[in-house]
Amino acid sequence: MDDDDDWLISSLERYEQLFMYDLSTPVHLMYLASDKGVWVYGQTLANKRELSLLTLPTKITNKEITGGRDFKISAGAVIPFSINCIQEMSNQQAVLCNADKRSLHWWREDERSPDLLVEIASSIVPPLPHHKECETARSQCITHIDYWKSESNDQHLLLGSNSPPDDGHVQIYDVVSHSVSWETVLDKTKLHDALYFGSPHQIVLCSGNYGEILVVDTREPFSATPTRCSMDAETHDDYALSCTSNIIGTLSDAGSLRLYDSRSYEKPFYCCTMPTTFHSSQYLTLTISPYNDRLLGLHPGIIIYDTTSMPPKAIFTHDGHEKEGAESVKVHGHIWHQSIPRLLISAGSDGGLHMWQYNE
Amino acid sequence: MSDIRIVPLGAGQDVGRSCILVSMGGKNIMFDCGMHMGYNDERRFPDFTYITDTGQTLHDYINCVILSHFHLDHCGALPYFTEMCGYNGPIYMTHPTKAICPVLLEDFRRVCVDKKGEQNFFTSQMIKDCMRKVITVNLHQCVKVDDQLEIKAYYAGHVLGAAMFHVRVGHQSVVYTGDYNMTPDRHLGSAWIDRCRPDLLITESTYATTIRDSKRCRERDFLKKLHECLERDGKVLIPVFALGRAQELCILLESYWERMNLKYPIYFSTGLTEKANHYYKLFISWTNQKIKNTFIHRNMFDFKHIKAFDRSYIDQPGPMIVFATPGMLHAGLSLQIFKKWAEDEKNMLIMPGYCVPGTIGHKVLSGTKKIEIDKKLVNIRLSVQYMSFSAHADAKGIMQLIQLAEPKNVLLVHGEAAKMEFLRQKINEEFGIHCYMPANGETVAIATTPSISVNMSSLLFKRALEESIGAPPSKRLCSLPNSAVVDGLLVMKNEVIEVSLLTHKEVSDEIGLTRHKLKFSQTLTLDGHFLPDSNILELLTTSINKLVPDSKVLQTKEGYGLELSGTSVTLSIAQFLPQPLVNLTWELQDDHIGSILVMNLVRTIPRALIMT
């Protein structure tokens, strides 16, 4: 066997399942729509942009004997603008945040040609009042998005952005009326991320040089010093935020990891400096496993950590992207499968898309 | 403009019975003549009534048949076409395809006639008679079918001997890919074609809407499952065809056994093992570079860990792996072994390829738990795995091939009916070309623009290059930009179809004509009076620089005139003060500059220097 096969041999013990795909464009964004599909946005250096909705291999989803190992391209399109983030809504419809102006675009499968995605609506999102003259400026583009659909079918988008020089801006956008129903400004404070937190009225924000956690009830007046917050001991440039119903986690680009109990987050219950640093803050990501919230996925590098011990124990490193493309490959993201334990999907700047289930 | 017309007689928006009819330049070419493995009636063959309905015989209508490779869905109907429908013209294929086709055809014939009792099927003699009509081609060899029609084969990967074909008639050309893959595997290389820029690329689209898992991960899955079964003392049966993926899997296992120092026995059916080995040795040049390099020292198809199987081993205890033919469990040794091993849940069946509906292989893959074999009910308790190792291009591979060949149009065959719009959009976006996907019997007409090759004289090329890039040509700067303007004469010689672009001098020298010059002159009176110390030449230079900005104005050696460098335009002062007269002369090729100066020179002389 070749030396190339060394990694393959070692993977037999390390991975329960391993799938590796080669997309035609480097993957910039990925969104796991459901247990059966994933949205992928790719962009080349020549600014060719593709959005695809891929169906997961049937080997994973239905366990049939003839289940295939391949992703099927359920639908796709060449899109005319760059995007910052994707969020799937219902009915295989996704909303895209334009990277060149402050707008949202809804795309879904074309009724006449079901394998094509088409834009069905778009909307300009109002900026901060005193930035109105810059409403198309790239600097005001929406960079964070989350989605909530209530039982009564009310649909809202949580939008986050930063206006120059560094004012964080958070809005709740009503999808039906296409209007902003709530917004706030973090004065001279950079917004790192914003997520829905357990209900349509509760959001968690991570902002500022100290990675301040703010839990906000949008039904109440928002004040600069909210009732509950927590922050890091030192300042860092960037933070990643993740949360489940039980845990809120932040990770700084200098490797500072903090975990908070969602019920009382004045103080983290877990605090440490990770053994690795994250110089490439562009791809700084923290994810929490959907079935064991003490398992974290850290990125770049995609290392799975077990935080039941102090310091956290690296229980698995996925080095498949580095193996394929050596140092030049940047890993753009990873997501956990929602129902299959230890199964993740990751993507890289060389167009590599991996699906892997590590062995316990 | 003339059209290229394409009609799929099979594999149009479908997989099976590949048969593409292309008409161009008055010639009709049939690509592939396959059989659809999913039907037992006339639907298994391509629909030849499209040809017979023209009133012509097959032999008169078709100028040649080209076969891409030995899979039955590409060659299975050939004996029927020649011996039962009466085609008697030339048939082209590669050497390995010619050697292996009759083996698969005979095997298939035996199953249909002997096992299924079909009648009116082609006979063994018909297969032999058919193959006698075949003309073999080498890779990259230009083969002239007749004065106008020529074909060239390119390496396609996929299976041993598979080729893509470039066909040219006059100024029109088409590339037909057959089945191909753009990633190499353990015993074959990947497809390649040069930048032949055909009017049309007809490409398979089996996995056009798929993003395929890497070969290494599929191999990994195969090895993992195998190893797990053997470790729990199970036996593994892998039904295969004699030639094709079997060799790929054998090389994989050989390497893995050697690397891991495993001792579990691996067996391969006798008889066809030797035949397969013989073919791979004979056609070693068709394998990949690694196999060819290793072949100097040892034959990689002489396996150390894989032995010939004996039927007595079926009942031997202990773990083992057996590769047995045929591939769909429809008869023979593989079925015999399956009957013995099916009821033990420790055992495993791995199906590495497609199974035709109606075969036992197909039923097992559908999840059937009880099957009647030879009037005996067999319970299927062993683990059944399907692992596709077929080598086809996926969406990315198709785009790569288009990038290589640079066709003006693309036509998709051998794929799904629906779900091609995204691929069409991508091809159009990326390459700016049209993409077609006709169904069986649907005609696509593609307009082509004649292209004429012109030989350009090196002197003219060098001059044009210097003028367009402003520098002498070098190794780095040696292609004319699209915006370059070339001033020359197009010469077409009567004896041969050859067009040349030459300089005026080269043409006049070649045909022995004296060149004449057409020269114009005009005397201009500069109105108004000039100061005694006015420098007329300077005033004229200033004016000329405004009127002809790119010009380089020089004083003549005599000092009383000006010339525009690189042109034939000259100005001489016939009279200086008080009323300057200027003689302007130019030749025909610089008439545009002369005209500008005649019309504008006088009025643009700087007025401030004219004495009023």
Side-chain angles (χ1 to χ4, degrees), chain A residues 2 4 6 11 15-16 20 22-23 48 50 69-74 76-78 115 324, chain B residues 209-214 216 220-221 224 259 290 396 416 419-422 425-426 429-430:
Chain A
D2 296 336
D4 280 350
D6 286 347
S11 75
Y15 295 88
E16 180 70 33
M20 292 164 77
D22 196 5
L23 303 181
K48 290 199 188 326
E50 269 182 35
R69 293 181 61 89
D70 305 326
F71 272 100
K72 288 292 273 183
I73 304 171
S74 179
V78 177
D115 73 316
E324 288 287 291
Chain B
T209 56
T210 298
I211 299 168
R212 296 208 82 195
D213 184 22
S214 74
R216 281 197 300 162
R220 184 194 166 276
D221 190 43
K224 195 169 162 50
R259 175 68 175 268
K290 189 182 171 191
K396 181 172 178 173
E416 279 182 74
K419 296 195 168 242
M420 290 294 182
E421 286 305 318
F422 180 35
Q425 188 188 66
K426 276 176 58 159
E429 223 14 82
E430 179 89 23

Side-chain angles (χ1 to χ4, degrees), chain A residues 114-181:
Chain A
D115 73 316
L116 268 185
L117 292 169
V118 290
E119 183 172 300
I120 56 171
S122 66
S123 178
I124 298 285
V125 180
L128 285 171
H130 59 280
H131 281 278
K132 260 207 179 343
E133 67 276 10
C134 303
E135 67 184 23
T136 58
R138 178 181 270 270
S139 56
Q140 281 224 51
C141 296
I142 296 156
T143 50
H144 302 90
I145 190 168
D146 201 1
Y147 172 64
W148 188 275
K149 185 179 174 187
S150 68
E151 284 171 2
S152 55
N153 273 337
D154 291 331
Q155 297 179 67
H156 299 273
L157 292 170
L158 176 62
L159 307 175
S161 58
N162 286 289
S163 304
D166 236 353
D167 290 338
H169 188 198
V170 183
Q171 292 170 313
I172 292 181
Y173 184 90
D174 186 296
V175 173
V176 173
S177 65
H178 288 288
S179 60
V180 175
S181 58

Side-chain angles (χ1 to χ4, degrees), chain B residues 427-446:
Chain B
I427 290 171
N428 192 257
E429 223 14 82
E430 179 89 23
F431 304 108
I433 57 179
H434 287 300
C435 180
Y436 304 89
M437 199 183 58
N440 287 334
E442 184 185 336
T443 303
V444 170
I446 290 172

Side-chain angles (χ1 to χ4, degrees), chain A residues 248-279:
Chain A
I248 300 171
T250 64
L251 173 70
S252 81
D253 57 341
S256 169
L257 173 70
R258 291 170 293 143
L259 299 179
Y260 301 81
D261 188 314
S262 61
R263 292 160 298 183
S264 67
Y265 27 78
E266 286 87 358
K267 207 171 122 176
F269 71 84
Y270 191 95
C271 192
C272 73
T273 302
M274 300 303 292
T276 56
T277 55
F278 308 95
H279 302 292

Side-chain angles (χ1 to χ4, degrees), chain B residues 537 555-563 570-572 576:
Chain B
L537 289 180
Q555 262 194 336
T556 54
K557 283 182 189 158
E558 301 79 19
Y560 298 120
L562 298 173
E563 60 187 20
T570 61
L571 294 92
S572 57
F576 278 90

Side-chain angles (χ1 to χ4, degrees), chain B residues 50-65:
Chain B
Y50 180 85
I51 301 167
T52 52
D53 282 353
T54 62
Q56 291 179 278
T57 64
L58 295 175
H59 178 69
D60 291 331
Y61 188 82
I62 304 284
N63 293 94
C64 72
V65 173

